[in-house]
Amino acid sequence: MEPKDYIAARVAQEILPGTLVNLGIGLPSLVAGYIPADAGVFFQAENGVIGMGARPPEGMEDPDLTDAGGGFITAVPGAAAMDSAMSFGLIRGGHVDVTVLGGLQVDGQGRLANWMVPGKMVPGMGGAMDLVGGAKRVIVAMTHTARGAPKIVGTCTLPLTSERPVDLIVTEMGVFAPGPGGLGIVELAPGITLEALRAVTGAPLAA
Amino acid sequence: MEPKDYIAARVAQEILPGTLVNLGIGLPSLVAGYIPADAGVFFQAENGVIGMGARPPEGMEDPDLTDAGGGFITAVPGAAAMDSAMSFGLIRGGHVDVTVLGGLQVDGQGRLANWMVPGKMVPGMGGAMDLVGGAKRVIVAMTHTARGAPKIVGTCTLPLTSERPVDLIVTEMGVFAPGPGGLGIVELAPGITLEALRAVTGAPLAA
Amino acid sequence: MKSALKTEAAAAMIPDGATLMIGGFMAVGTPHRLIDAIVAAGPRDLTIIANDSAMPGKGIGKLVSAGLVARMVVSHIGLNPETQAEMNTGRIAVDLVPQGTLVERIRAGGVGLGGILTPTGLGTLVAEGKRIIEVAGKPYLLEEPLRADFALIAARRSDYVGNLEYFLTAQNFNPLMAMAADTVIAEPEAIVPVGVIPPDAVRTPGAIVTHILERPA
Amino acid sequence: MKSALKTEAAAAMIPDGATLMIGGFMAVGTPHRLIDAIVAAGPRDLTIIANDSAMPGKGIGKLVSAGLVARMVVSHIGLNPETQAEMNTGRIAVDLVPQGTLVERIRAGGVGLGGILTPTGLGTLVAEGKRIIEVAGKPYLLEEPLRADFALIAARRSDYVGNLEYFLTAQNFNPLMAMAADTVIAEPEAIVPVGVIPPDAVRTPGAIVTHILERPA
């Protein structure tokens, strides 16, 4: 299994039945594929729909039904469409149960940086700042390192997305709960030792 | 003609074709009866409809279509229903062309008091403060006196509805444009002399 | 998916001292079955956030007549002499709020704003004790968000996800209040199968509705 | 009642230096015919307020490619490398705004608020130069309203009053922007007779729509 599939499958275990979930583009969007259809989980696309379904069969795409990345989607039974004020009202008002987002860096206390690399890549924050600040539970889904360098760091060198700490970090090496005392280890992925983890983790591990 | 009918008919002359108009309850609501059906004027009821029509024939009332006073209404072709956020967004955002409101007192500069008589009658302001502050043009439609006492006064003794002055006052004695220099006379009603007006007007008349 | 809740069970959830937002405008778009059940259950010292107190014997007026209300945050009580009398004797504390400001305060509570700046109320009794903030050289009142323990919502139709559809002027405050309470109880006139309400007709998504009340008897 | 406006006549209304709000999210729910006509007319130094700058050759991306844009207020430019390049060379000034804050700032401009208080952006680059206001012991950023000279709105259907209906995720910013501009030009996919759109399906009342664009050719 590829790291990103492992990560997505593991994040899926954190999603409770009957919840409202917002998945970021890229790796986080893979999580939907690991949620049983009968779990009663509703996915929000922040461009204006709750009840986003899978990509439609070829020839059945509708130009007016897309996800936040602009890709074609379907609507499940019980879906609701809305304008951006309602969509972000749900996000910022604490009505979204879980958001899963990618990360460029997270520090040991859980502060996330995921929206720009100054001088190199400035895509803009889109809805990320609202999601991190507003969702009830924030999960970061990312590979543990980028070109060998730790993405979990002592202090973020990239601009922060929010001062609110995220709740959980899932990588191919394990599941981590950041906190004031440093990075807590919830579980290590099969075959990962504490030494191996420490070697590629920039933040202190919690006692 | 009763004073209130004279006032309503005169106010109707101020309503331009194609405008969005909010009429207060009581005397102002009579204005609608003097607007031609083909003028393209749309009436807003702030409880959530644009395109309010006349009272329905008996037996055709709908409990879910009422005006801001709770009375049954109809919807004209091209009507739009909305929630209170949109309804007051239109009012407060400057999208309503004209509002016609009743008054307890107005001073010569146009400051209106129409929502409470301390210790006696405290109905609440409802939407009056929003309408006076937000509509593009505010017209007060009221009888010139109450039990013989002037309602256009030097200084309001009742609590103000807004610090924004109203644009026009229409009574059975004439049409008045309040301003920093005092009450301007736009026209006197037939048979009303300046002396008669002065005798029942508490505010100084503009030069 | 939610199974429909018995009206008595819904009313029994509301403890003494609870804060309730109740939809409706002069008793239009008000959850009447819930109100009747609350009058029967009789919780005391309620705080009611609503547009108005309707009329004696109708809608929210029934809660006033039953003596269940300690405080009201409303824009208008003019058609309910009982509320006015209770206010004058001090039995009910009434906060009168301009209607548009009431709307925005409820919305702010529902969408996570810390407050909003409005010119409405400047230079009037409404401004007393409030902060004035200048933006671009103009003064505004800082109005704070409102939230409630329960929102009691009247809807035309619900499905079993809890998606709500409203009708004409019965919509009013309902979709806003459904965003601004810890527990949201929706009283639909009809419950339809999931998939029947078109996505664009949904004004309150089921994800934020805690309970759907059973169909009318 | 409004008669439909020719696309070229609509584009000709927009002068150099105008501020435009343009609906859409990654070119979905964007008024494409208007954008093509504006590219043809070629007004310069435009300020664009929108969710994003779409992609090169699509929607708002066409305005960027044509060199008509001096400033953008947007939440995301990640899918348009041209916008990023123009920002890096300083040819386009880009204000990046969190999407939810952008929504609320546009809404505030449309509904007459002086500003809104939000926690989004606290402790980040977004907070630079902004006032922090405490409410109930918590800090919030004061975010100011946005307004435009023109709002260019994409709708599914219009009637001749100008009532607008939207469809699924093509709705997005359109109903908010229609409230926040001096001149509102709606580009519907279809125009229907007055009375055909049910009152509850109208999301933008015709009273605030200045012009309806002619039907697609």
Side-chain angles (χ1 to χ4, degrees):
Chain A
M1 191 150 58
E2 288 287 304
K4 63 187 172 55
D5 298 311
Y6 175 83
I7 295 167
R10 183 59 191 80
V11 169
Q13 293 176 27
E14 301 292 322
I15 309 290
L16 299 176
T19 50
L20 177 60
V21 177
N22 185 298
L23 302 177
I25 52 178
L27 197 165
S29 70
L30 302 177
V31 172
Y34 295 91
I35 306 283
D38 63 355
V41 171
F42 275 82
F43 292 102
Q44 178 198 39
E46 66 262 32
N47 52 322
V49 65
I50 287 178
M52 167 169 53
R55 201 184 157 82
E58 214 180 310
M60 295 176 69
E61 303 89 350
D62 191 294
D64 286 351
L65 185 56
T66 55
D67 63 19
F72 294 117
I73 56 172
T74 49
V76 304
M82 63 202 68
D83 69 11
S84 297
M86 184 62 168
S87 194
F88 278 85
L90 290 167
I91 290 169
R92 291 155 61 111
H95 304 282
V96 171
D97 295 300
V98 184
T99 187
V100 184
L101 294 166
L104 297 170
Q105 290 181 332
V106 197
D107 72 19
Q109 298 174 50
R111 281 173 304 213
L112 173 67
N114 77 343
W115 70 281
M116 74 177 285
V117 181
K120 285 176 90 169
M121 183 195 70
V122 189
M125 66 294 280
M129 289 188 174
D130 305 295
L131 282 160
V132 175
K136 282 187 201 139
R137 192 150 184 257
V138 181
I139 300 176
V140 172
M142 64 178 192
T143 54
H144 205 87
T145 57
R147 274 164 262 116
K151 294 175 75 174
I152 302 176
V153 295
T155 306
C156 290
T157 54
L158 298 174
L160 289 180
T161 302
S162 176
E163 61 184 12
R164 174 188 160 180
V166 305
D167 299 288
L168 207 68
I169 305 169
V170 179
T171 77
E172 73 280 15
M173 299 190 83
V175 179
F176 311 99
L183 192 71
I185 302 175
V186 178
E187 69 182 46
L188 288 175
I192 302 296
T193 64
L194 211 52
E195 287 78 45
L197 175 70
R198 218 171 247 133
V200 290
T201 302
L205 302 181
Chain B
M1 189 151 59
E2 287 289 304
K4 64 185 168 59
D5 299 309
Y6 175 82
I7 295 167
R10 182 59 189 81
V11 169
Q13 295 175 26
E14 301 291 322
I15 310 288
L16 299 177
T19 51
L20 177 61
V21 177
N22 186 299
L23 302 177
I25 52 178
L27 197 164
S29 70
L30 302 177
V31 172
Y34 295 92
I35 307 283
D38 63 354
V41 171
F42 275 80
F43 292 102
Q44 178 198 39
E46 66 264 30
N47 52 323
V49 66
I50 288 178
M52 168 169 53
R55 200 184 158 82
E58 213 177 311
M60 295 177 68
E61 302 88 351
D62 190 294
D64 286 350
L65 185 55
T66 55
D67 63 19
F72 295 116
I73 57 173
T74 48
V76 304
M82 64 203 68
D83 69 11
S84 297
M86 183 63 169
S87 193
F88 277 87
L90 290 168
I91 291 169
R92 291 155 61 111
H95 305 282
V96 171
D97 295 301
V98 183
T99 187
V100 184
L101 294 166
L104 297 170
Q105 290 181 331
V106 197
D107 72 19
Q109 297 174 51
R111 280 173 305 215
L112 172 69
N114 77 343
W115 70 280
M116 74 177 288
V117 181
K120 285 176 93 169
M121 183 195 70
V122 188
M125 67 292 282
M129 288 188 175
D130 304 295
L131 282 161
V132 175
K136 282 186 203 143
R137 191 150 185 257
V138 181
I139 301 176
V140 172
M142 63 178 193
T143 55
H144 205 87
T145 58
R147 274 163 262 117
K151 294 176 73 173
I152 301 175
V153 295
T155 305
C156 289
T157 54
L158 298 174
L160 289 181
T161 302
S162 176
E163 61 185 13
R164 174 187 159 177
V166 305
D167 299 289
L168 206 70
I169 305 169
V170 178
T171 77
E172 74 280 16
M173 299 189 81
V175 180
F176 310 101
L183 192 71
I185 301 174
V186 177
E187 67 181 46
L188 289 174
I192 303 294
T193 64
L194 210 53
E195 287 77 42
L197 175 70
R198 219 172 244 133
V200 290
T201 302
L205 302 182
Chain C
M1 303 279 272
K2 304 163 177 85
S3 53
L5 186 70
K6 293 271 174 209
T7 310
E8 293 70 27
M13 295 170 62
I14 294 166
D16 289 355
T19 296
L20 314 183
M21 286 186 183
I22 307 181
F25 197 115
M26 296 294 170
V28 175
T30 290
H32 294 289
R33 289 181 284 136
L34 267 171
I35 285 178
D36 287 343
I38 292 169
V39 169
R44 319 289 302 180
D45 294 326
L46 300 176
T47 293
I48 306 293
I49 301 172
N51 179 63
D52 56 70
S53 64
M55 314 78 164
K58 274 194 89 171
I60 292 168
K62 291 182 181 178
L63 300 175
V64 173
S65 303
L68 308 182
V69 180
R71 183 169 166 236
M72 304 198 88
V73 182
V74 288
S75 80
H76 200 264
I77 57 174
L79 297 187
N80 193 330
E82 284 185 14
T83 308
Q84 294 195 50
E86 297 276 22
M87 177 176 71
N88 290 339
T89 62
R91 294 254 302 276
I92 298 182
V94 177
D95 295 353
L96 289 170
V97 180
Q99 200 167 131
T101 297
L102 183 60
V103 168
E104 291 293 334
R105 290 180 64 191
I106 293 168
R107 182 178 182 277
V111 304
L113 298 178
I116 55 107
L117 305 182
T118 178
T120 298
L122 277 174
T124 76
L125 292 179
V126 167
E128 278 180 14
K130 288 185 186 143
R131 275 184 279 178
I132 292 177
I133 309 271
E134 284 209 3
V135 176
K138 284 191 185 171
Y140 296 94
L141 285 187
L142 168 53
E143 292 280 3
E144 300 191 6
L146 287 170
R147 283 191 61 88
D149 302 316
F150 296 86
L152 311 184
I153 301 302
R156 187 64 170 240
R157 299 202 299 181
S158 165
D159 61 22
Y160 287 97
V161 167
N163 288 315
L164 304 182
E165 201 182 2
Y166 305 99
F167 196 56
L168 295 171
T169 57
Q171 183 173 2
N172 56 67
F173 282 73
N174 284 297
L176 301 160
M177 291 176 167
M179 297 282 284
D182 297 338
T183 298
V184 178
I185 307 177
E187 176 181 313
E189 288 178 42
I191 308 179
V192 299
V194 173
V196 167
I197 305 180
D200 280 311
V202 175
R203 296 282 176 133
T204 295
I208 64 169
V209 174
T210 324
H211 300 289
I212 312 160
L213 210 70
E214 61 184 342
R215 287 188 178 78
Chain D
M1 303 282 271
K2 305 163 177 85
S3 53
L5 187 69
K6 293 272 175 209
T7 310
E8 292 69 28
M13 295 170 63
I14 294 166
D16 289 354
T19 296
L20 314 183
M21 287 186 182
I22 307 181
F25 197 114
M26 295 295 170
V28 175
T30 290
H32 295 288
R33 287 182 285 138
L34 267 172
I35 285 179
D36 287 343
I38 291 169
V39 169
R44 317 291 300 180
D45 294 325
L46 300 177
T47 292
I48 306 294
I49 301 172
N51 180 63
D52 55 70
S53 63
M55 313 78 164
K58 273 194 91 172
I60 294 168
K62 291 182 181 176
L63 299 175
V64 174
S65 304
L68 308 182
V69 181
R71 186 172 164 234
M72 303 199 88
V73 182
V74 288
S75 80
H76 199 266
I77 57 173
L79 298 188
N80 193 329
E82 283 184 14
T83 309
Q84 294 196 50
E86 298 276 21
M87 177 176 72
N88 289 339
T89 61
R91 294 252 303 274
I92 298 182
V94 177
D95 296 352
L96 289 170
V97 181
Q99 198 167 132
T101 296
L102 183 61
V103 168
E104 290 294 334
R105 291 180 65 193
I106 294 168
R107 182 178 182 278
V111 305
L113 298 178
I116 55 106
L117 304 181
T118 178
T120 298
L122 276 175
T124 76
L125 293 179
V126 168
E128 278 180 12
K130 289 185 185 143
R131 274 184 278 178
I132 292 176
I133 309 270
E134 285 209 1
V135 175
K138 283 191 185 169
Y140 296 94
L141 285 187
L142 168 52
E143 292 279 4
E144 301 191 7
L146 287 171
R147 282 192 62 86
D149 302 314
F150 295 86
L152 311 184
I153 301 302
R156 187 65 170 238
R157 298 203 298 181
S158 164
D159 61 20
Y160 288 97
V161 166
N163 287 314
L164 305 183
E165 201 182 3
Y166 305 99
F167 196 55
L168 297 171
T169 55
Q171 184 174 2
N172 57 67
F173 282 72
N174 284 298
L176 301 159
M177 291 175 167
M179 298 282 283
D182 297 338
T183 299
V184 179
I185 307 176
E187 175 180 313
E189 291 178 40
I191 308 179
V192 299
V194 174
V196 167
I197 304 179
D200 281 311
V202 175
R203 296 281 175 131
T204 295
I208 64 168
V209 174
T210 323
H211 300 289
I212 312 161
L213 210 69
E214 60 185 340
R215 286 188 180 79

